[in-house]
Amino acid sequence: MSEPHLQFQPATADRWEDLVDLFGPERGACGGCWCMWPFLRAKDWKAMAREERRDALKSKVDAGEEPGLLAYREGIAVGWVACGPRERYVRFQLSKTTKPLDEDPEDLIRATHAVTCFYVRSGHRKAGLMDRLLDAAIDRSRQNGAKWLDACPIESDKPLLWSEGFVGFTPVFRRAGFEEIARRSPRRPLMRMSL
């Protein structure tokens, strides 16, 4: 039997209910994050209730920011990848592990997008969907004029829980052509791809 065709669409206001269905109205993806983790400083994220995070993501979607892409299989949203201009992701910009290189000029930072999070619906995991989501994020970043794409996936020689892999797995990024540009944390290499 052949693999059902996947379609990738930006998260827009008319797809909000699909995103809610994917994340789970009560669950909100991983631990009620609603994929707001990369957008906020740690203290601000912790201060928000689950419902406030959901509303904050909805505000981004309603404003036309397209904070990520949805993967559809047979009309159902089965996966998510958060991607967009690096400067939008406050935590990604400021964290010691993920901040830009000291030598990165401002014009490079402005032309860089980032892939910060993945979420795959239960029952669709461990089937290569993260690779496909990353490929779609690369394509979308190119379409949106990015010159570089940054990510800081997790790397481990031990088995990881799915919830630990929301930032992506290093081998997936290596297969796509990303190269390590810094390692400020033993398990989280900062990686970059030239587009």
Side-chain angles (χ1 to χ4, degrees), residues 25-139:
E26 301 303 318
R27 190 176 57 253
C30 291
C33 177
W34 285 96
C35 211
M36 287 304 297
W37 179 86
F39 286 105
L40 302 165
R41 293 175 186 267
K43 64 178 180 157
D44 297 330
W45 187 87
K46 288 177 185 173
M48 292 177 90
R50 184 182 304 239
E51 297 78 20
E52 291 174 301
R53 294 180 197 141
R54 179 199 60 221
D55 294 346
L57 181 61
K58 186 168 189 330
S59 293
K60 290 182 178 302
V61 170
D62 287 346
E65 287 187 28
E66 295 183 10
L69 297 171
L70 291 161
Y72 288 86
R73 180 176 280 144
E74 298 178 347
I76 303 216
V78 296
W80 161 262
V81 58
C83 58
R86 193 188 217 288
E87 292 179 313
R88 281 189 195 165
Y89 299 109
V90 174
R91 189 182 304 226
F92 202 79
Q93 287 289 90
L94 299 177
S95 168
K96 180 185 113 178
T97 304
T98 56
K99 69 181 181 177
L101 300 178
D102 291 340
E103 61 270 21
D104 282 350
E106 283 300 315
D107 60 334
L108 184 145
I109 296 169
R110 282 192 302 276
T112 300
H113 281 206
V115 173
T116 60
C117 297
F118 293 86
Y119 184 79
V120 175
R121 186 184 291 270
S122 180
H124 296 267
R125 297 174 185 158
K126 297 185 180 179
L129 191 51
M130 188 178 284
D131 290 88
R132 303 281 305 278
L133 283 161
L134 180 57
D135 289 344
I138 293 166
D139 289 345

Side-chain angles (χ1 to χ4, degrees), residues 115-182:
V115 173
T116 60
C117 297
F118 293 86
Y119 184 79
V120 175
R121 186 184 291 270
S122 180
H124 296 267
R125 297 174 185 158
K126 297 185 180 179
L129 191 51
M130 188 178 284
D131 290 88
R132 303 281 305 278
L133 283 161
L134 180 57
D135 289 344
I138 293 166
D139 289 345
R140 189 67 179 175
S141 298
R142 279 191 185 113
Q143 290 168 7
N144 289 334
K147 302 295 183 203
W148 294 273
L149 191 56
D150 283 2
C152 197
I154 193 163
E155 181 172 69
S156 179
D157 55 2
K158 298 175 185 170
L160 297 168
L161 300 173
W162 166 253
S163 60
E164 292 179 290
F166 74 94
V167 292
F169 301 112
T170 304
V172 172
F173 286 84
R174 284 200 181 105
R175 283 194 297 270
F178 282 74
E179 295 180 1
E180 184 173 329
I181 58 170

